[in-house]
Amino acid sequence: MPEQPPALETLSNSFVSSSLAPFRPTKGRVAETSELRSTEGQDSPGPTSTRLDVGGQRLPIVITAVAGTWILALALGLLGPLVAITFPALTLTAIAATLIGVRRYQPRLRWPWYAFAVGFTLFLIGGVARDALNTLGDLSANRSLIPDLVTIPGYFVILVALMGFVRARHRDRATRLDLGLDAAVAALAALAIAWVFLMNPTLILNSAPMSVRIVVATYAPISACLVALTAGLAFSTGGRQSRADLLRMAAMAFLLVGDVLFMVLETHSVAIPQRLIEVPYALALVAYAISALQPSMRQQTEPDVESENTATVGRVVVLGLALAIPGFIAVTRPPAARSDRLVLGGIVFGLTALAILRIVRAIRGRARSEARLVHLSQHDALTGLPNRIGAQRHLTGALDAARAAQSSIALLLVDIDRFKLVNDSHGHSFGDELISIAATRVRRSTRPLDVVARVGGDEFLIIIHGVDRDEDLLDLAHRTRRLFSEPFVIHGSEVASSASVGVVLADLDDPDVTAEGLIRDADTAVYQAKDAGRDAVVVFDHGMRDRVYQRLTIQRDLRHALGRGELSLHYQPVLDLPSGRVSSFEALLRWSHPAWGQVPPASFIPVAEDTGLIVEIGAWVLEQSLVQLARWRDELPHGGRLGMAVNLSARQLRDPSMVDRLDAIIQAADIPRDALTLELTESALMENPVQAAEHLARLKALGIRLSIDDFGTGYSSLAYLRRFPVDDVKIDRAFVVGLESDDSSDETLVAAIVAMAGALGIGTVAEGVEVEHQAARLERLHVDRAQGYLYSRPVEASLIPAVVARLEANAKGRLMPVRERFSA
């Protein structure tokens, strides 16, 4: 790149110093790294980055204003002797802008920017040497080639810098190769134009030595290559080009214009004022300097993932023009010398070869993309295992092969127990890590010919080939289930888990057996395993289909049961021991189906829990029962002491709106808060003890009473009782039944529960009391309250006044006729 020698060095230093003034270190001006990185991908900082706005935007404005004015004066011939310092000052400004931009914005890869600074330094040295040796326009044998031998390497340094940008922005090797091919096509097109209008006229100047002609003819094609590569890099992004991209492309374009004018002046083709050559070079330096000071300069070395193998509109336009230009030249140009035709023919041949190679690569890339899409459609992104579609496709082929070979096919469907709880408690990234570890365990435990797939969020399907004996299949299923008994260590924390396994052995004699049907049967077996208490293995049988159908029917009709008025409440009295007086009631949900009659709660409550309907139904139960309690407290004798116990499910306990909704229901019923007791099972509390304790604390803050239902059947311990803020424990009927015998060990267990609760100031309630002998022994063991058929079955609200009157009368006499035990 031709340069003018520096003159008036002090003026040059003064110009650069004034331009850099805003970046001199001052208190509070240097932006923090976090602020700089927050502007990534933006050309202007956000409103919260005041210091970046001051330091990052003032300098480009100053350079634009000062340099623009200077260049305008240069073009109009108003600078006089200051023309000599224009190029050195602007070159030093571009170098300084590069160093400042790298320091301020800290790009991921810095060496390409430093390479630009090196290239500009070579331009400056070459310009000084050119002016000192006075070589501009000298085509004689006496011309010194030293300035050109210094300047031309600067172009190649910048070319290497641009290739560094390409490598940093496009990590994929195939994408870099495609971009290189596109740039080569554009460069050949530019070479065709340069050859016809610049290089060939220069090379045929017989008055100049060949070495001089070659050197002079080199500038334009090299700068054309720089423009082509810069344009290819800018238009290779799928999105909008950044300001730094556009400014750098403009700088290379101005550089090309300057080199063209330089060749024209060197060959004396047209008389041009020497100062006009400086204008495009000056504009190139200013455009580059401003690009280096843009916040988006960080993007130049950031991986551009979204643009991989994308054909943007700009890229297609550039390639189309590049392929059309040589043909247009060949058609419109008059006949030329053989050497000229050979060069143009070689360029056209090269363009054709590159175009064919690019088309072939595009076709192959499309084929690879389609194959990748097919692979992704049949595989799980997290684990790399086949997904449900891939598993079903493999299973279909395996069934046909097994029938032909008279072999066997079996399925194991593994469902991680309480996986949703892990996600809710620890977050989805934690859950993803658990899935990944589980996939690795399952894959390592299977035989090489078996196939493992992830067919759901927490479900793995194992397709087993060649297992004929049921014992071997069950042994494999239990071995798979035990894989989950070992704790999962995730992010330094241990997570205990378990798995429910459904087993299906394909009946290959049945032509109606399909892959979809087998997976559905395995899913049915998993449901049965979960109903059996989880951490279990269940083998599918055809009777399960009927049960699943019944469950689905219950789920369908239950969704409409509340709106149709099919749900109702029955109430069972709870009595104080030993007074025998009614202290409260337990509200029990009943469903009267128009076709089935009375549906047992054990059949529909789990369905309501699984589907989430229990939240809406539970709120209705609370509203109805508390309104009814308010009436009884006003109407029944001694009603002011009565309370109401309502069962609360685990799903309701986790509902974030539960506390607010419950508070509104209590206020609407206008009853004391401690008149309500919420009963929760041990299993519901132990799904996540930490969260359960937090939820119970929120409920307790309302002033209501809390009770643990079915106590003694699960995780009962003093530690758990101390953790939860409960008021009562309800002794399960399984222990009460045993009290009917005089030598039962259940009496010891009940005594232990009463002692443990009493030590913590917690009341006790016995359920399932059916005979007086049980009641007497419970009273002797100091149980506080009791309920059961001995006193009353659960009855409709309209029958409660009569039941209470009878129980109050019995309490006075302390005797109840046997014939009344199962009445009401």
Side-chain angles (χ1 to χ4, degrees), residues 170-189:
H170 301 283
R171 298 291 181 86
D172 181 63
R173 185 176 180 181
T175 303
R176 293 201 302 268
L177 180 56
D178 290 340
L179 181 59
L181 291 174
D182 294 344
V185 170
L188 282 177

Side-chain angles (χ1 to χ4, degrees), residues 689-767:
V690 175
Q691 281 194 353
E694 295 175 356
H695 294 318
L696 292 182
R698 294 175 61 202
L699 292 172
K700 190 64 180 175
L702 290 179
I704 62 177
R705 296 176 61 83
L706 301 174
S707 175
I708 299 181
D709 199 5
D710 301 332
F711 188 78
T713 60
Y715 306 88
S716 311
S717 73
L718 181 62
Y720 291 136
L721 279 181
R722 293 180 62 185
R723 174 181 295 182
F724 302 130
V726 298
D727 301 283
D728 300 304
V729 293
K730 185 173 270 190
I731 302 170
D732 188 74
R733 67 178 67 245
F735 302 108
V736 176
V737 170
L739 298 179
E740 195 170 347
S741 303
D742 292 333
D743 58 349
S744 172
S745 61
D746 289 331
E747 182 171 353
T748 304
L749 293 175
V750 173
I753 292 173
V754 173
M756 183 168 55
L760 296 174
I762 296 174
T764 52
V765 182
E767 61 179 353

Side-chain angles (χ1 to χ4, degrees), residues 339-577:
S339 60
D340 191 18
R341 293 197 301 271
L342 287 175
V343 172
L344 284 177
I347 292 175
V348 172
F349 178 80
L351 279 173
T352 304
L354 289 175
I356 293 174
L357 180 59
R358 189 67 177 89
I359 292 172
V360 171
R361 287 188 56 79
I363 293 173
R364 289 181 177 177
R366 182 179 180 84
R368 286 195 300 268
S369 298
E370 291 177 351
R372 178 174 173 79
L373 288 175
V374 171
H375 179 83
L376 290 176
S377 70
Q378 298 182 17
H379 287 76
D380 173 53
L382 177 62
T383 62
L385 297 174
N387 57 17
R388 181 177 287 270
I389 296 175
Q392 189 168 323
R393 177 169 295 186
H394 174 85
L395 183 55
T396 300
L399 287 172
D400 294 337
R403 286 190 178 102
Q406 295 184 345
S407 182
S408 63
I409 291 290
L411 299 185
L412 299 183
L413 185 60
V414 184
D415 189 295
I416 302 176
D417 296 329
R418 300 185 179 91
F419 177 72
K420 185 178 184 303
L421 185 63
V422 174
N423 267 346
D424 293 343
S425 304
H426 301 282
H428 288 282
S429 62
F430 198 94
D432 288 346
E433 185 69 20
L434 190 151
I435 289 292
S436 298
I437 298 174
T440 302
R441 289 185 184 181
V442 174
R443 192 162 37 195
R444 289 177 179 173
S445 68
T446 55
R447 301 172 305 169
L449 59 119
D450 297 332
V451 174
V452 180
R454 184 188 179 197
V455 295
D458 56 353
E459 291 181 331
F460 296 96
L461 182 70
I462 306 174
I463 304 174
I464 302 171
H465 300 261
V467 176
D468 298 318
R469 298 199 321 155
D470 293 344
E471 295 81 1
D472 295 338
L473 187 58
L474 284 174
D475 180 67
L476 180 59
H478 282 289
R479 189 165 70 244
T480 303
R481 178 185 59 82
R482 287 192 292 271
L483 292 173
F484 292 82
S485 61
E486 180 183 347
F488 292 80
V489 180
I490 303 173
H491 302 162
S493 301
E494 282 194 0
V495 179
S497 184
S498 62
S500 300
V501 183
V503 183
V504 176
L505 181 61
D507 182 6
L508 299 180
D509 295 330
D510 185 356
D512 294 330
V513 170
T514 63
E516 184 179 0
L518 286 175
I519 295 175
R520 183 183 63 244
D521 292 343
D523 205 35
T524 300
V526 165
Y527 271 115
Q528 298 299 318
K530 288 189 175 294
D531 286 344
R534 300 185 177 94
D535 194 19
V537 173
V538 170
V539 180
F540 174 81
D541 65 68
H542 293 284
M544 292 180 183
R545 290 179 183 169
D546 296 334
R547 292 192 290 273
V548 170
Y549 176 77
Q550 181 183 17
R551 182 186 180 93
L552 292 175
T553 305
I554 290 175
Q555 177 179 330
R556 181 197 64 199
D557 291 357
L558 186 58
R559 291 186 181 276
H560 307 288
L562 189 59
R564 294 171 179 170
E566 297 171 7
L567 299 181
S568 61
L569 292 179
H570 284 197
Y571 301 90
Q572 186 173 39
V574 179
L575 278 67
D576 278 327
L577 295 177

Side-chain angles (χ1 to χ4, degrees), residues 49-67:
S49 186
T50 305
R51 288 178 291 176
L52 181 58
D53 184 69
V54 172
Q57 296 303 304
R58 181 187 297 173
L59 185 56
I61 294 174
V62 171
I63 291 177
T64 302
V66 175

